[in-house]
Amino acid sequence: TPCTHCGRSVQGGGVYKRRQMAYPVAEPRSPMPGIGLRGAKGGFPMHNERYSILYSRATGNTRLLADTIRAALPPALCDAFGAAGETAAESELLYVGFWTDKGNADADTLALLQTLKNKRLFLFGTAGFGIDTAYFDAILARVQAVPDGSNTVIGTYMCQGKMPPSVRARYEAMRALPAPPENLDALIENFDRARSHPDADDLDRLRAAVLRA
């Protein structure tokens, strides 16, 4: 199956079935206004390794991060771009994106990470809670422990991501309880703060982390 992002043939493997990528070939555009993608001589900055970007598509947050990474890297070197569990992980360098579920990566991402061998990994994710880097670091530590020792994590990134409206509705319903949670106001405040994320600053920091790795 050809990768429609770069035109390179991608072979399925293991439990991951070959599927057509539904992403058109296009010149990548920076998601961050005013931040260029190319160097002074027209090339992408310091990246000459083939790669794939695999992400959990349950939320739009992780897809936005995945699009940001794709825009920052040379399209001709992309082997695959698509959902974890549906896209072959053939490249040696993988950018793997997840959303946070109960303090760890989502189930699809965990299943993917458990199958990988001899890969170089850049892990990126979003969480509805937490503007504290210690919280993100704890999640990333759990995720990094999943792949076996033949793999190498070359970089990580996390930021806050917006949550569905049903979460706020559930919080509001708790106000009617005989004994509402003491931190209920803080939960609602966090939900409202997360609405704007990932924002331009989050994407800027992600791009910088990718180019440093």
Side-chain angles (χ1 to χ4, degrees), residues 1-202:
T1 303
C3 172
T4 58
H5 177 53
C6 64
R8 181 178 172 84
S9 177
V10 179
Q11 300 296 323
V15 298
Y16 300 100
K17 298 179 181 179
R18 292 182 295 177
R19 297 195 179 183
Q20 184 76 18
M21 311 297 178
Y23 303 99
V25 176
E27 180 69 16
R29 296 179 180 179
S30 173
M32 292 73 71
I35 299 176
L37 295 174
R38 298 181 180 275
K41 297 183 179 180
F44 285 78
M46 299 300 292
H47 192 289
N48 57 5
E49 185 176 358
R50 303 205 67 84
Y51 64 91
S52 294
I53 302 172
L54 311 177
Y55 62 92
S56 175
R57 63 183 183 185
T59 72
N61 297 327
T62 310
R63 170 62 191 268
L64 180 57
L65 299 190
D67 285 341
T68 299
I69 294 173
R70 180 169 64 163
L73 298 176
L77 298 179
C78 175
D79 288 327
F81 178 94
E86 299 181 4
T87 307
E90 293 295 318
S91 309
E92 180 181 346
L93 173 58
L94 301 179
Y95 295 86
V96 179
F98 63 92
W99 58 277
T100 302
D101 185 19
K102 301 179 181 66
N104 207 331
D106 60 275
D108 288 343
T109 301
L110 292 177
L112 168 65
L113 293 175
Q114 289 168 358
T115 69
L116 300 179
K117 302 287 184 182
N118 302 307
K119 302 293 187 181
R120 300 174 65 241
L121 305 174
F122 185 101
L123 303 173
F124 62 98
T126 61
F129 289 91
I131 56 174
D132 182 355
T133 56
Y135 176 75
F136 292 148
D137 288 346
I139 295 170
L140 287 167
R142 296 184 194 104
V143 178
Q144 290 181 77
V146 176
D148 74 24
S150 69
N151 301 283
T152 302
V153 176
I154 65 166
T156 60
Y157 179 80
M158 280 199 74
C159 68
Q160 192 169 28
K162 57 186 169 293
M163 294 172 279
S166 59
V167 174
R168 197 183 200 284
R170 186 168 70 249
Y171 292 157
E172 291 291 352
M174 291 180 182
R175 292 190 186 278
L177 295 175
E182 293 183 1
N183 66 337
L184 183 55
D185 288 340
L187 293 174
I188 293 174
E189 180 182 348
N190 176 80
F191 177 93
D192 292 341
R193 183 173 54 245
R195 281 177 167 171
S196 63
H197 293 274
D199 62 15
D201 288 341
D202 296 326

